[in-house]
Each structure stands twice: as structure tokens, then as C-alpha cells.
Amino acid sequence: MVFVTFENEKNLPLNELLLSFDEDGVKRKLPALHEKWKESRCFTRYAAFPMRNGLVEEGAPLDQWVSETEWFVKDMEWLLGLEHFRFWSTLIHNPGVVEAVISFTQNAVPYYLIGVVRSSAKVFPLYSAAHRCTLQVICRMITQRESDRCWIGREFLGELLYKHFLVSIPLIFDLLPIYGRDNKAVLGLMLQTIFKLQPKFQQDLRVGLQYLQSTLKIIQQRIETDRIDGNATTSSTLNDLAIYVLDCCSSLSLLVEVYPEVRATCTDLGLEQSISNFYDNTLVLLYKNIFAMDNDSPYLVHLNAARMELLAAFRGIVNLQLETILEKPEASLLPADKFLCILTECLSDPVFVRDYQRHYPVERDLDILKQACQGVDSFKLDFVQNAYCSGENGMTNGHDGSGEFPEEDDSFGEAVGGVAEEVEPGPSGASAKLELTPEQQIEANVRKVLDILPDLGDGYVRKILARYEDVEQAIAAVLEGNLPPDLAEADPTEPYIPPDKLDNFYLETGIERLNIYDGDEFDVLVHDKIKGVMKKGKGMPGQPKNLKELLDDKSHVKEMKDRYQEYSNVCDEYDDEYDDSYDAMADSESKTIRLSAQMRNALVDELDDDEDEEEDEAVQRGGPAVSGGGKKPLDFCENPEVLRQRAEERWRSKHQARGGGGGGPPSGQNRDVVGKAKGQGQEKDVLINRKHKNENKSSRANHNRKQGATFKRNKGMIPS
């Protein structure tokens, strides 16, 4: 261990800080986050709690667990006592730290088995210490600023957590059943911090939810396959499967509760339909199989707890649509339609519909839709209300809930069919009370009052229960008329509207616009008729979509149809008359075309200049102005043979003037460049001609494709 004095006078972040130290009399500087500052301590891993038949296993296994857990607690407390730069250097460069933390999250006792640990006075204090220290280490891992001198950059911390797998989605799912019940506030703040530090975890969370969704399908397929094939599944396998189902259901429910932002992702994945289908099929078959082997099995209680967790998760996901409706009633048509579609799709699962209606009455939600959303489809609304309300009399969507199970399993039908405070696992009458949350306890008290006084509103009953400690006192006060003045003057039929969870968010931040399109004239959720064009795909509406439609465009013909019809009317009036003005117009038009063609040809190259000179000479001689052997004024183009012949004549005449072939050089000029044979000597003129040829042979190429193509194009021909 190298001793160094921590100094940070400029309050720099850990990722930019350099530390000075002496090594063998030499002063050096290293980054504060460096392998040199790590502690090479060997960290103890947490071992699973020794249990047998649901009880603590005494003897040597327990003594070994106590010894290892004591060392685990010492390691975690020692890690928490390190300085800021040594803590992070050890965390990054010593993989044993993360392995020790993960060992506890994977082997710790979930909340639904914590009663076994509490029953042992020797084990519970030690387990509580390990439970507390592990949570403190994870909290320090995601803490950006410990003090003004000890802090780390936000983006850098997010990259550290993601790159070095200090935090992961599997770790979060392991934390939910361990800390989700007793430390909801802390766990919720941790998740908020993690997803703000590193947005990449959002995509990983989506993948984790997809894996959980596929896991529910795999469990359902396995149970259905064993039922069809007639395979005899052992009792231990069914018990393990029940625990696994409870773990999956509780993880999903707690995730929705402590991190509400995940509900939008759940809606996109369609988890509502997966929950209802799994509830109606898998839980029913699993309960029946366990009940057939042992009607007093404690794992029946775990299945009923899993049922409660699924109902709570479903309620939390669909409640997102209700919150959206209450938040902005003027744009609530789309979330209201989604809410009704979710409830309609779940009607194929009668057991789930009946239990959901008993625990979360749909009438309240539908009343909110009627009051807040004026444009909701009344047919869908009435259909959903009739389908869910019929389940109160034991009928759900035309199916009898009790008829889904055999007669000898009446207790199973009662346990799965209704949500109660006490769960009856079998006909023996043994009951195990489930731990109800405060909100569930209030809901149960409201139902008790409404069973006796059904004419009161649930919102009014909640106000009364808030004044009295006991349900009996509240009922007696109502019947005797001894209510306080404010409650006596209140509306007794007042309904209950759930509080908006975003009110605190508005008060803290002042942000009321959660939709970036609020007030926009192009917002299709607000305006029925918007300005502009709703463009979908390539191109604009009315334009051709492909090359075939573009080439087959007849729009111009349709536009000119009326004009051509007028022309036909004019021709009918002057059909038998002859006007000389037509000839004059045609003659003037031909002259204009001819002159314009001559002007274009004059700008191409010197070949056209020669042609214009010949035509001018012909005009001066009184001959025809148009060359080519009698070209008609209105011809589209000249005869190519005539053009080639005329060009050949011009070429021959030019080369004759230069002394080339065709007629030989003019008299008096010697253009010989061949001369005598080699070794016989050459004349002076031959040498001069050779020099002249070498100096001027590259002034113009033997062929010019561009010039030839331009010449053909100007003459109305397509170049090859």
C-alpha cells in the first residue's frame, strides 16, 4: 500500500485529479483513478442461507454460514471506510468487490421467505448486517458527489457503471425481491439515479422485460405440455416452479411500483395481455397440480401471493392511461381507447377478469373516462362495463367461474376466484394472513363499509375512515348521525378519484407540459382538421409514385382538353374557306427556324463557319440559300447522306489547299516529308517540311468525338 496525501484544492472531479506521492525518493504524479491505489484484499463471497424443509438447518452448515457471513460483513464495512479515490480504484481494478456484492444479491433471502430468518435469534442480526452493508455499498457506487472535494463527473460515472458492469439489469432484478418491500423509497431513488446517469440502461431494461415475458410463456408451455402428455411431475419440481413464479411476478410488480417510468415500456411490449393469459392459464393449472398432491402445501400460499402481485402489476401498467387522461382531458381520446382495448382483450381470460373486478372495480375507471373524455366510444364503454360488472354474480363474459375447476377442488376455485385478506390453501381451514400494504388495508376497510352502507360513495367513505380509527366506529357514527359538521355537509355520494402522482413533480419542477406538441397547430391528438398535408412515404399526395406512373402521366392532356375542343369549333366555322395568310405564316415560320438553326450552327465550330460562307456565296450568286440539293423549308433535318457528302467536299478542299491528299499540293509548293532513303542524304526542303510537320501535327487531333457529336446534334441527328 502506497501512502499518499489526498489534496484537491481546486475541487476537481476524480477523473481529472492527479495525486502526488514519493516513491524511493522520487516525486511522481498519477491519476486518482489508477491501479496503483487499489487494495489487493481478498473479499469473501456470501453463501446461501442453509435451509431444509422450510426451516433453518442447525449444526455445522449453520456454523459455517455464520463464519463466512461475519467475514463478508467485515469486508463490506472495510470497503465503505476507504477514501474516495481508493474506493473507486479498488472497485474498478479489483474484480473481487463486484463479485462479492453480486454473491449477496443472488443468494439473499427474498421478502416472502424472510420469516424463516426472523425466526432464528442467532441468524437474523447477522443477516440484517449483511443486508444493510450491501445496500450501502451499492448506494455509494451510484453516488456522484460525496463532498466538495470527493466527487466524480456525471458522464464519466455513467460510463464506469455501464462499461465495468458495476450495475446491470440482472442486478436490478435481483435487488427488487430483496429490498423492494422494506426499502421502496431508497430503491426507487436508486433506479431513478441509475437511469439518469446512463440512459443506455433503458434499452437493457426493455430487453430484460422481453426476457421476463418470454419466461412466462415458457412456464405456461411447460405446464400445458405436461398436462397434455400426461407426464407425472414430482412434488419438488412443482414447488420449485411455484417459488420461481412468485419471484418473477413479484419482481415485475415491484419494478412497476418503485419505477413508474417503466410502464410505458410495458405497454409497448403488451405485458398486460401476457399477465392476464398467464394468470388465467398457468396459475390455475399449477395450483391444481400442487393441490392434487398436497392440499395443505404451503406453496399454495405462494401461488396466491403471486396472483396478488400479478394483479398489482396489471393495475399499475393500465393506470398509466388513466393518469394521462386526468393529466390532459382535452387530448385523452387516444389513451382512453387504449385503456378500453386492453380491458377488451383480457375478456378471453374469465378468471383474471373476475379477480381484477373484485379487487379493482372497473366502474370507477369507466366513470373517470365518462367525465374526462367526451369523445370516447359509448358502445365500447358500455360493452366493457357490462362484461366486467357481470362477473360480480359469478359470471364473466358468459362463463361460470366455479365451473372451470373440478368439484373436489372447490377450495382452489374460491382461492383463485376471489381476492381476500385471508388465503385458504385447503379444506383444513388453515389460513395464512398476507401482509397488506396501507393502501390495500384502506381499500379493504372501504369495502366493509360499502357492504353495509352501499348508498354512500367510496370517496365519502374514505373521508370518514380518515377521522375514525376503527371501521365499526365509522359505521356507528354514520348510522347515529354523529358526524363532524364538515362531513355532515359533504356529498354522501362523492366518488373516489385516485390522486395524481405527477402533482409533486409539477410542484417541484414547475413543468406542466410533458408533450412537446402541446398547442401545436399540427397536433393530430388535439385538432380534428390540421393545416398542411399529412405526408406518408415518398413523394407528395397526387404525384406519381413510380416510374411507370410518371411516364404514363396524362395530366397535361386533361388540362388542354378544353383548349383543343375550342380549336375544333373554330375549324368547323372555316372549314370551306381558304386563307392565304396560312401560307404567309408558314413561310415566316420556316424562315425563322432556318435563321435560328444557322445562328446555332455558327457557334459550334469552324466547319459550320465554312458552311455559312458557302451559303452566303450561293445567295450572292442568286442561287438557293439552302444547301443540300433542294432541302424543303419545313423538313425536320437534312438528309444525312447529303450532309456527309458536303462535309467530305469541304474536307478535301481544305487538305488540297494545305498540300495533302485529294489533288496534291498547289504548283510551286513542295510538301515532301519522306525524302530519300536513309543514308543517302536529305534535301533542305524535306528537313524543313519534317520540322513543320512535327511542330504543327498536334494542333488538331485526327478525330474529335465531341465536335462530331455536337455537329450531329445540331443537325437533328442522334449521335452514336
Side-chain angles (χ1 to χ4, degrees), residues 163-447:
K163 181 179 179 181
H164 296 276
F165 298 97
L166 303 181
V167 176
S168 60
I169 297 302
L171 176 64
I172 293 175
F173 275 93
D174 290 337
L175 294 175
L176 290 172
I178 300 174
Y179 299 98
R181 289 299 180 196
D182 300 331
N183 302 273
K184 290 182 180 179
V186 177
L187 188 58
L189 184 60
M190 288 174 56
L191 295 183
Q192 295 284 350
T193 304
I194 290 172
F195 289 109
K196 286 181 180 178
L197 288 174
Q198 182 54 268
K200 295 180 181 179
F201 284 118
Q202 293 286 353
Q203 183 63 28
D204 295 348
L205 180 60
R206 185 183 183 90
V207 176
L209 290 174
Q210 291 177 346
Y211 178 79
L212 180 60
Q213 189 177 16
S214 63
T215 301
L216 298 179
K217 294 181 180 178
I218 292 173
I219 296 174
Q220 180 177 347
Q221 293 175 358
R222 177 178 178 181
I223 295 179
E224 292 178 351
T225 304
D226 293 343
R227 182 186 180 187
I228 295 174
D229 298 340
N231 298 331
T233 307
T234 60
S235 177
S236 60
T237 303
L238 293 175
N239 295 338
D240 293 342
L241 198 57
I243 293 294
Y244 185 61
V245 168
L246 177 57
D247 188 77
C248 295
C249 298
S250 61
S251 299
L252 178 59
S253 175
L254 291 170
L255 179 63
V256 173
E257 184 177 358
V258 301
Y259 186 63
E261 288 79 0
V262 79
R263 296 178 297 177
T265 305
C266 295
T267 303
D268 295 340
L269 296 177
L271 270 177
E272 308 94 337
Q273 188 67 20
S274 299
I275 290 174
S276 64
N277 195 5
F278 183 83
Y279 186 100
D280 203 79
N281 297 315
T282 307
L283 286 181
V284 170
L285 294 178
L286 186 58
Y287 195 104
K288 290 175 66 175
N289 293 336
I290 296 178
F291 185 84
M293 292 185 177
D294 184 8
N295 55 3
D296 294 331
S297 175
Y299 293 94
L300 298 177
V301 180
H302 295 324
L303 287 180
N304 283 278
R307 180 191 64 182
M308 297 289 293
E309 298 291 351
L310 283 181
L311 290 175
F314 183 89
R315 176 62 181 177
I317 296 174
V318 299
N319 199 40
L320 173 65
Q321 311 300 333
L322 297 177
E323 293 178 2
T324 306
I325 293 172
L326 294 176
E327 173 190 349
K328 193 173 182 182
E330 64 274 8
S332 59
L333 187 59
L334 183 59
D337 187 66
K338 287 184 179 179
F339 181 77
L340 294 177
C341 289
I342 292 173
L343 295 182
T344 304
E345 291 176 354
C346 295
L347 289 176
S348 59
D349 305 318
V351 178
F352 172 81
V353 170
R354 182 175 61 250
D355 288 358
Y356 181 78
Q357 168 63 17
R358 291 182 180 180
H359 195 64
Y360 304 101
V362 178
E363 295 87 344
R364 303 173 186 175
D365 303 336
L366 298 181
D367 290 339
I368 295 175
L369 264 64
K370 292 178 182 178
Q371 297 175 12
C373 186
Q374 302 297 331
V376 66
D377 191 351
S378 59
F379 178 78
K380 290 183 179 179
L381 201 64
D382 296 339
F383 175 77
V384 172
Q385 185 172 5
N386 294 333
Y388 276 80
C389 292
S390 62
E392 296 179 355
N393 299 324
M395 299 292 293
T396 303
N397 197 19
H399 297 281
D400 187 358
S402 61
E404 296 290 337
F405 318 109
E407 296 180 358
E408 61 271 20
D409 290 345
D410 292 339
S411 60
F412 168 75
E414 180 65 21
V416 177
V419 177
E421 298 177 21
E422 296 184 359
V423 180
E424 299 180 0
S428 61
S431 62
K433 284 185 171 294
L434 296 176
E435 296 181 2
L436 299 180
T437 62
E439 182 62 25
Q440 293 175 348
Q441 186 64 42
I442 294 174
E443 187 69 25
N445 294 337
V446 171
R447 289 202 305 271

Side-chain angles (χ1 to χ4, degrees), residues 11-79:
N11 297 332
L12 296 175
L14 185 67
N15 51 303
E16 299 178 3
L17 181 63
L18 296 177
L19 298 180
S20 302
F21 67 99
D22 293 338
E23 186 177 14
D24 298 334
V26 180
K27 292 185 178 181
R28 298 181 58 189
K29 286 187 178 181
L30 287 177
L33 189 62
H34 194 269
E35 186 177 3
K36 191 175 185 62
W37 315 124
K38 75 172 183 178
E39 299 293 341
S40 58
R41 183 185 181 108
C42 183
F43 290 87
T44 305
R45 298 185 183 182
Y46 179 82
F49 189 79
M51 295 178 59
R52 177 177 294 180
N53 298 327
L55 299 175
V56 177
E57 185 178 1
E58 301 290 344
L62 182 60
D63 296 338
Q64 182 180 359
W65 178 87
V66 170
S67 176
E68 293 178 355
T69 306
E70 288 177 350
W71 276 107
F72 175 81
V73 173
K74 291 179 182 179
D75 290 342
M76 294 295 104
E77 292 177 348
W78 178 85
L79 183 65

Side-chain angles (χ1 to χ4, degrees), residues 135-153:
L135 183 62
Q136 290 175 349
V137 171
I138 297 176
C139 290
R140 189 177 183 184
M141 287 166 51
I142 63 175
T143 301
Q144 179 189 3
R145 181 181 294 273
E146 296 183 4
S147 64
D148 294 337
R149 299 174 58 196
C150 300
W151 63 288
I152 190 170

